Amino acid sequence: MRLHTLRLQAFGPFAGTHTVDFDALSADGLFLLHGDTGAGKSTVFAAICFALYGKPPGDRDLLLRSHHAPAGLLTEVTLEATLAGRRLRIHRIPAQKRPKRSGQGETDQKPETRLSEWAVDADGQGRWEPSSKSHQEAATEITDLLGMSRDQFCQVVLLPQNEFTKFLHADAHGRRELLGKLFRTGRFSFIERWLNDHSRTTEKNRDAARADVLRLVERIHQAAKGDLTTEYTAPTPDDPHTLTEPARAWARDLIRASQADHDKALQAANTAKENLGRQQSLEAAARELHQQQATHANAQQQLDLLQEQTPHHDALVQRRDQARRAQQVAPQLHAADTAADDHTRAQNTERTAREHLQPAHADLDAGQLETAEQSARAQAAVLTALIPEEDTVRQLTADLKRTDAERQDFAAQQRTAQDWLEEEPTRRRTFEARREAARKAEEEGRRHQAALDILKVRLEAAKRRDAHLTKITQAEQHLADAQADTGQTGQAYLTIRRQRTEGMAAELAATLTAGTPCPVCGSCTHPAPAAPQDGQPTRQDEQDAEALHEQAKTTQDAATAALHKLREQAATATGEAGDTPLADLKTQHKTLTAELTDSLARAADQGTVQEELLALDGEHTAMTQQHSTATAGLSARNASYDTLTQQLTELTDKLAAARGTHPTVAAHADELTRTADRLKEAAEASHHLTTATQTLTHRTTQATHAAKDQGFDTLALAQQALLSDEDLHTIEEEITQWRENRAAHTTVLENPALQQAAAQPPADLDAATAQRAAADDQHAEAATAASAAHTRNQDLTALAADLETAIQRLQPLEQAHSTARHLTELVTGNSPSARVRMQLEAYVLAARLEEVVTAANTRLHVMSEGRYTLSHSDHQAARGARSGLGLQITDSWTGRPRKTDTLSGGESFFASLSLALGLADVVTHEAGGNPLDTLFIDEGFGTLDEDTLHKVLDVLDSLRAHDRTVGVISHVPELRRRITHRLHVRKDPTGSTLAHLTEAAE
């Protein structure tokens, strides 16, 4: 890759348009990029990366648009470079906001990419030929020519020394992250993950088979219930070897023991049934006596409780009587409460009315308020009489304004006529020029109409093309869904078919009848027919699954045919419309339509301008007459204006005295009227408060006399005794309920049968119930034991057959998992036979690191004068960490290896620079061998002494000797003296600028 020119516009800190001529900069093979911090040195490389890959290094999308650039200047980057022997020009416009072409506001500018290639024809003439306008096509072609991803490009073309210093001092994990990205070793990680997943899958299958065996063993344990003795040891999960033959022998011995236990349980069940009948009769007699004794005791207890409630009953009777007497004085109490509420409202009304009065009226009594009201109304009447004079002032003002407007109008007419007569020659020449322009616009419109007819055909085809492409995306998704559905239904069909095949014995056993020959063995006796498992699929299930699979395949075939048809239609439409986007065609159509409309509008002006020339002659006569009339009218209006002004001044002085501080006389009169209304309201409120006070005193006295007549000393006692009808009814019901309950319990105690039962000793129901329950439990236990023994014998026989099937399935799965686990441990470095704990990806990266170290040492040997040598180590890492990416440096002065973090700043710089250059060589070779003719080295030179700096520059000269161009990004002054060609970046409040400097220029 060799760079030629870079053109920036409104990009990053660069507000305007700047061009970098790399051919001139790299004339000596080495150039310097320098400038103040923040000026935009790194932005130059960011623009190169954006031009090549459509995205700057890292995540800097928000920094593309310059904040200093004018709104109408688009952000653009154009790069000319030679890639793999082909000279290309890449022009990119990122997504951004731009002003609308018509109207106010902004609109979205879509991203654009244009790729062109320099070609020479048969005559030796060179020109740029368009190659692609598609983002995807341009990205694919550029990436193929460079042979590396954006991350690789940024790492090997721009050598950021701070990152390689970190790489030099990093641990194995840090180096693995960087090398993995550059050498794209993710495929080896994929192999590790696949083998690991495969190992887990085989382990899961084996564990599932073991779980099946152990689950059957557990079910046999459960069926045996732990009370059967056997001479064999039961299988356990701790010892997988016991899950085969030992399990079979253990299950057979349990079946023999369960048969003997069944015979013993049948005899015990018959004995327990006879004892249960006797105990049930004794329990019924004891239960009847206990119920009679309990009824008599409960009645006596309830009657005693009612006797204890007698004081509460008497208090309720007293409260009921007081409430009845309080109801006699309820009307008087209500009247007193109403009078108190009226008195409170009157006080609030009187207080509110006085709050709106002026301070001088706030403390007046009712009579004084009425006197003040009358005085205010008299003053308002005087002012009301002067209100018509204000209308006279307004009329005079209007007449004066109208007269002045007429003066101004006559003056304007006079000026208009004079101006028109002076401008008439110029207008006449303008009309003649318009007549000629309309003739030319008519010819232009005919050309636009022909081009618009052709564009309409392409636009309709483009609409069909885009519609078909949208449908193609939907059809592709529909096809993918149909394919997934076909795969799922096919897998379900195979699973059901396999399960039915495995359970075919149980399906055949379901058709067997006693005395009928077996269709498999021919026997007429069927001692142990196979039993179906839970969820066993039937023939109908298999047929339904097959039908679903066939239906899914039919749907997939239909989706494939529809997609093929849509693609043919899209290709036809594309042939008519081309690859131009529909939005661009619409823009062209809109532009061409606007141009046609504009041409027709200008051509239509031809008849109009001829009429306007004829009208111009008529206007000349009218304007001459207008000038004479306006001069006479202006003189008359000036005299009338002076007379009206004198009358208005005299009347205005008279009304100013009547208004006072108010805006108008009417406003002053309204203010006096409102004051009189407030005074009247306050006087009425004062009278009402006096009346409410007298009423409250009278009604309170009446209520007090009525309460004493009913036996209450105060109104408060009468209020407390007063109850609502609902509360009084509740007390009445409680009194009645108490009396009825006492009579009912007395009647129960007088029953002769209950008195006779109470005289007997207490019935021992618990003992009778316990004896019957014991007999019941004994019988149920014996019957259950007999049934369980029979069921257990059958279950153990069936489970033993299932156990045999599970053991046969387990053996091959054990072997498959053992093989998968061995391979997984081998590629992950966990195998006991591995010399070092190195994963497959780390092993590959270690080989690449050895190549990088070898390439780096050729430069490090020169920079360090043969003192330092880098070496790769795959020794075991500390505390059991993964090994394989160790890095150390050997000092020839001591003959011993050193850790890389013990190097000084300058030593770390040239060691990391050597690594960076070596890595660039190896990555370039790994990416396909396309030469990188241009490199950038970013900072780090400030840590070097003068001698070391010269040695480093000698190494860079050696790169130049191999036809490479090296760009150094640095602030070091010594480099400005050493490097002839320099690109200086200057920052400014209005945006940064670029300048190509040479030693001769300075």
Side-chain angles (χ1 to χ4, degrees):
M1 180 197 74
R2 179 173 294 279
L3 306 178
H4 299 294
T5 60
L6 174 68
R7 180 178 176 273
L8 307 176
Q9 179 172 291
F11 189 87
F14 301 101
T17 303
H18 303 275
T19 301
V20 180
D21 188 349
F22 285 105
D23 289 332
L25 277 175
S26 58
D28 293 340
L30 186 66
F31 66 90
L32 175 66
L33 179 60
H34 65 100
D36 297 334
T37 301
K41 299 186 296 299
S42 299
T43 304
V44 175
F45 182 77
I48 296 172
C49 182
F50 173 72
L52 291 172
Y53 294 94
K55 192 175 182 182
D59 298 323
R60 299 177 58 184
D61 289 358
L62 298 178
L63 301 179
L64 295 182
R65 176 69 182 169
S66 176
H67 298 300
H68 304 285
L73 189 65
L74 287 179
T75 297
E76 300 179 3
V77 175
T78 303
L79 176 68
E80 290 186 21
T82 298
L83 307 181
R86 297 169 58 185
R87 182 158 181 165
L88 302 177
R89 182 171 64 190
I90 309 164
H91 179 75
R92 291 189 187 268
I93 300 177
Q96 57 194 288
K97 292 287 187 180
R98 62 169 177 81
K100 293 182 177 179
R101 293 187 175 91
S102 61
Q104 302 295 323
E106 294 182 332
T107 187
D108 291 328
Q109 168 67 44
K110 295 183 179 180
E112 297 181 9
T113 300
R114 292 195 293 271
L115 180 63
S116 304
E117 183 174 359
W118 182 258
V120 179
D121 57 19
D123 298 332
Q125 298 295 324
R127 64 181 182 279
W128 289 106
E129 292 185 351
S131 177
S132 173
K133 289 186 178 181
S134 168
H135 301 290
Q136 186 71 24
E137 292 178 0
T140 301
E141 186 169 357
I142 293 172
T143 303
D144 291 342
L145 292 175
L146 286 172
M148 61 183 69
S149 66
R150 180 172 64 96
D151 291 337
Q152 289 178 311
F153 177 83
C154 295
Q155 195 69 55
V156 302
V157 176
L158 175 66
L159 306 180
Q161 291 308 301
N162 57 337
E163 291 189 15
F164 274 94
T165 302
K166 294 178 183 177
F167 178 79
L168 183 67
H169 299 158
D171 56 12
H173 177 73
R175 296 192 185 102
R176 179 172 181 171
E177 287 187 353
L178 175 62
L179 295 176
K181 291 179 181 179
L182 295 179
F183 292 108
R184 292 182 286 189
T185 55
R187 57 190 184 277
F188 300 105
S189 296
F190 174 78
I191 294 173
E192 295 177 21
R193 290 193 301 271
W194 186 90
L195 287 174
N196 193 35
D197 292 341
H198 179 63
S199 176
R200 286 198 296 267
T201 300
T202 57
E203 181 181 12
K204 181 180 178 180
N205 294 336
R206 184 210 60 185
D207 291 344
R210 284 184 178 180
D212 289 342
V213 173
L214 291 172
R215 187 162 47 251
L216 289 171
V217 169
E218 181 62 26
R219 290 178 63 186
I220 292 174
H221 269 300
Q222 294 175 356
K225 295 182 175 57
D227 58 350
L228 296 180
T229 58
T230 175
E231 61 182 2
Y232 296 96
T233 302
T236 63
D238 298 333
D239 187 2
H241 299 290
T242 63
L243 301 181
T244 52
E245 287 300 332
R248 294 190 182 98
W250 169 74
R252 294 193 191 101
D253 197 51
L254 283 177
I255 293 173
R256 178 192 55 75
S258 68
Q259 182 63 45
D261 182 70
H262 176 243
D263 297 338
K264 181 178 178 181
L266 285 176
Q267 182 178 1
N270 293 330
T271 303
K273 184 176 181 181
E274 297 175 356
N275 182 49
L276 176 62
R278 292 191 298 271
Q279 296 299 329
Q280 287 176 342
S281 300
L282 294 175
E283 180 193 18
R287 185 175 301 278
E288 182 179 2
L289 177 61
H290 177 268
Q291 183 178 4
Q292 292 176 343
Q293 290 176 343
T295 301
H296 185 274
N298 182 62
Q300 184 63 51
Q301 180 181 8
Q302 294 298 324
L303 186 60
D304 293 341
L305 290 175
L306 291 174
Q307 284 299 123
E308 294 176 358
Q309 297 175 359
T310 300
H312 175 67
H313 171 263
D314 295 340
L316 288 177
V317 172
Q318 182 181 2
R319 186 178 181 191
R320 179 196 62 186
D321 296 340
Q322 289 178 348
R324 288 175 177 175
R325 287 187 286 108
Q327 284 183 341
Q328 301 299 322
V329 296
Q332 289 82 2
L333 294 175
H334 177 70
D337 291 340
T338 302
D341 294 339
D342 292 342
H343 180 265
T344 301
R345 284 194 295 271
Q347 285 180 325
N348 294 334
T349 302
E350 198 258 354
R351 185 185 310 109
T352 302
R354 286 186 178 274
E355 288 176 353
H356 293 91
L357 296 178
Q358 296 177 359
H361 302 150
D363 298 329
L364 300 180
D365 57 20
Q368 293 171 335
L369 290 173
E370 291 174 349
T371 301
E373 175 200 355
Q374 296 171 0
S375 176
R377 293 193 187 280
Q379 295 178 22
V382 174
L383 293 177
T384 303
L386 291 176
I387 291 177
E389 296 296 336
E390 288 186 327
D391 294 335
T392 303
V393 171
R394 285 192 290 272
Q395 182 62 42
L396 289 174
T397 303
D399 292 343
L400 187 63
K401 184 177 180 180
R402 176 176 51 77
T403 301
D404 185 57
E406 292 175 352
R407 288 197 309 162
Q408 298 296 332
D409 184 51
F410 280 123
Q413 291 179 15
Q414 185 185 45
R415 288 193 301 271
T416 301
Q418 183 65 32
D419 293 343
W420 190 93
L421 292 173
E422 292 176 355
E423 294 175 0
E424 178 191 5
T426 302
R427 293 181 60 192
R428 188 174 298 277
R429 288 193 297 271
T430 301
F431 287 149
E432 292 173 353
R434 282 174 53 194
R435 183 168 54 188
E436 178 63 19
R439 185 188 62 77
K440 294 181 179 178
E442 184 177 4
E443 297 177 357
E444 183 180 344
R446 287 194 290 269
R447 294 195 301 272
H448 289 332
Q449 183 62 52
L452 188 61
D453 293 338
I454 297 174
L455 185 59
K456 285 181 179 179
V457 175
R458 292 186 63 198
L459 185 60
E460 292 300 324
K463 291 180 180 178
R464 296 196 304 274
R465 176 198 65 195
D466 293 352
H468 290 323
L469 291 177
T470 301
K471 292 179 181 179
I472 286 174
T473 302
Q474 298 173 352
E476 288 175 345
Q477 181 61 42
H478 180 61
L479 177 59
D481 295 340
Q483 290 173 341
D485 189 28
T486 302
Q488 292 175 357
T489 56
Q491 184 63 37
Y493 169 59
L494 293 177
T495 300
I496 291 177
R497 185 174 183 180
R498 178 181 56 78
Q499 292 176 349
R500 181 168 177 259
T501 302
E502 293 175 353
M504 188 63 73
E507 186 175 334
L508 292 174
T511 63
L512 296 178
T513 56
T516 302
C518 175
V520 177
C521 64
S523 174
C524 294
T525 59
H526 318 293
Q533 298 182 358
D534 294 339
Q536 174 68 34
T538 63
R539 178 179 182 81
Q540 184 61 42
D541 294 336
E542 181 181 355
Q543 292 175 349
D544 292 343
E546 184 179 10
L548 287 175
H549 180 52
E550 292 298 329
Q551 182 179 359
K553 289 197 295 184
T554 301
T555 303
Q556 178 180 341
D557 294 340
T560 302
L563 178 60
H564 179 69
K565 182 178 180 181
L566 285 173
R567 285 174 174 169
E568 289 181 349
Q569 294 173 346
T572 302
T574 302
E576 297 178 10
D579 295 330
T580 304
L582 178 60
D584 293 347
L585 290 176
K586 288 182 176 179
T587 301
Q588 295 176 17
H589 183 272
K590 182 178 180 181
T591 302
L592 194 55
T593 302
E595 292 175 352
L596 175 60
T597 303
D598 180 63
S599 298
L600 295 177
R602 287 186 284 112
D605 192 39
Q606 189 170 4
T608 303
V609 72
Q610 186 63 35
E611 294 177 357
E612 289 177 348
L613 283 170
L614 295 175
L616 186 63
D617 296 333
E619 286 184 33
H620 176 79
T621 303
M623 285 299 173
T624 303
Q625 179 64 32
Q626 177 179 324
H627 186 271
S628 301
T629 303
T631 302
L634 178 61
S635 178
R637 295 306 185 276
N638 285 336
S640 177
Y641 182 82
D642 294 338
T643 302
L644 291 173
T645 301
Q646 182 179 0
Q647 295 176 1
L648 180 61
T649 302
E650 294 174 355
L651 189 55
T652 301
D653 295 340
K654 179 180 177 182
L655 293 177
R659 284 196 300 270
T661 60
H662 296 81
T664 64
V665 175
H668 193 183
D670 291 342
E671 177 64 24
L672 289 173
T673 301
R674 286 193 294 272
T675 300
D677 292 340
R678 294 192 189 102
L679 290 169
K680 180 181 179 181
E681 181 181 358
E684 291 175 351
S686 180
H687 286 304
H688 183 65
L689 176 60
T690 301
T691 301
T693 303
Q694 295 172 356
T695 302
L696 175 60
T697 303
H698 174 68
R699 291 184 179 178
T700 302
T701 301
Q702 286 182 337
T704 302
H705 291 321
K708 289 182 178 181
D709 292 342
Q710 292 298 326
F712 296 103
D713 295 335
T714 63
L715 288 177
L717 293 176
Q719 288 282 7
Q720 293 176 0
L722 189 63
L723 294 176
S724 65
D725 292 340
E726 182 179 359
D727 294 340
L728 184 60
H729 179 69
T730 301
I731 292 176
E732 291 282 2
E733 286 185 347
E734 186 174 354
I735 293 172
T736 301
Q737 184 66 34
W738 183 84
R739 292 174 178 175
E740 291 176 352
N741 289 341
R742 186 174 66 175
H745 293 311
T746 301
T747 301
V748 172
L749 291 176
E750 293 174 354
N751 188 332
L754 297 180
Q755 291 177 353
Q756 182 180 0
Q760 297 182 16
D764 192 356
L765 180 61
D766 292 338
T769 301
Q771 292 175 0
R772 193 273 310 158
D776 194 5
D777 293 342
Q778 183 181 6
H779 174 261
E781 182 179 355
T784 301
S787 176
H790 176 70
T791 302
R792 176 171 59 187
N793 195 40
Q794 292 181 333
D795 292 345
L796 288 175
T797 302
L799 290 172
D802 294 341
L803 181 63
E804 175 66 25
T805 302
I807 292 172
Q808 293 176 357
R809 176 172 173 265
L810 173 61
Q811 292 173 341
L813 293 178
E814 290 278 8
Q815 180 63 33
H817 172 63
S818 176
T819 302
R821 183 180 60 186
H822 175 70
L823 290 175
T824 301
E825 291 175 349
L826 189 64
V827 300
T828 57
N830 294 320
S831 175
S833 61
R835 181 176 60 85
V836 291
R837 299 182 68 241
M838 187 183 299
Q839 294 175 282
L840 178 61
E841 183 182 12
Y843 178 80
V844 175
L845 291 177
R848 293 291 183 269
L849 183 57
E850 288 183 353
E851 296 176 4
V852 171
V853 169
T854 301
N857 281 329
T858 59
R859 278 93 179 201
L860 181 60
H861 183 78
V862 176
M863 295 185 202
S864 65
E865 296 182 326
R867 178 179 178 183
Y868 293 115
T869 302
L870 286 167
S871 59
H872 158 251
S873 172
D874 57 2
H875 293 305
Q876 183 76 17
R879 294 185 295 275
R882 298 290 183 180
S883 56
L885 296 176
L887 196 63
Q888 60 187 9
I889 191 164
T890 302
D891 189 345
S892 62
W893 290 4
T894 62
R896 296 182 179 180
R898 294 169 53 182
K899 293 184 177 180
T900 55
D901 56 4
T902 62
L903 297 175
S904 65
E907 292 170 338
S908 295
F909 168 72
F910 59 66
S912 61
L913 177 60
S914 300
L915 271 176
L917 295 173
L919 185 62
D921 293 340
V922 176
V923 171
T924 301
H925 178 75
E926 176 74 13
N930 293 331
L932 295 175
D933 299 326
T934 304
L935 294 176
F936 291 86
I937 301 176
D938 188 5
E939 281 303 343
F941 295 90
T943 61
L944 305 178
D945 55 63
E946 185 175 357
D947 292 339
T948 307
L949 178 60
H950 287 300
K951 294 182 178 65
V952 171
L953 290 177
D954 290 340
V955 172
L956 298 181
D957 285 337
S958 68
L959 296 177
R960 179 175 59 183
H962 290 83
D963 200 23
R964 279 188 177 182
T965 298
V966 179
V968 177
I969 304 174
S970 178
H971 298 85
V972 177
E974 176 62 26
L975 293 177
R976 302 180 195 175
R977 294 188 293 269
R978 179 76 180 265
I979 301 176
T980 303
H981 290 275
R982 302 189 296 279
L983 185 63
H984 187 198
V985 184
R986 297 185 178 93
K987 64 180 180 180
D988 188 84
T990 60
S992 298
T993 59
L994 292 169
H996 180 187
L997 303 178
T998 62
E999 185 175 6
E1002 291 191 351

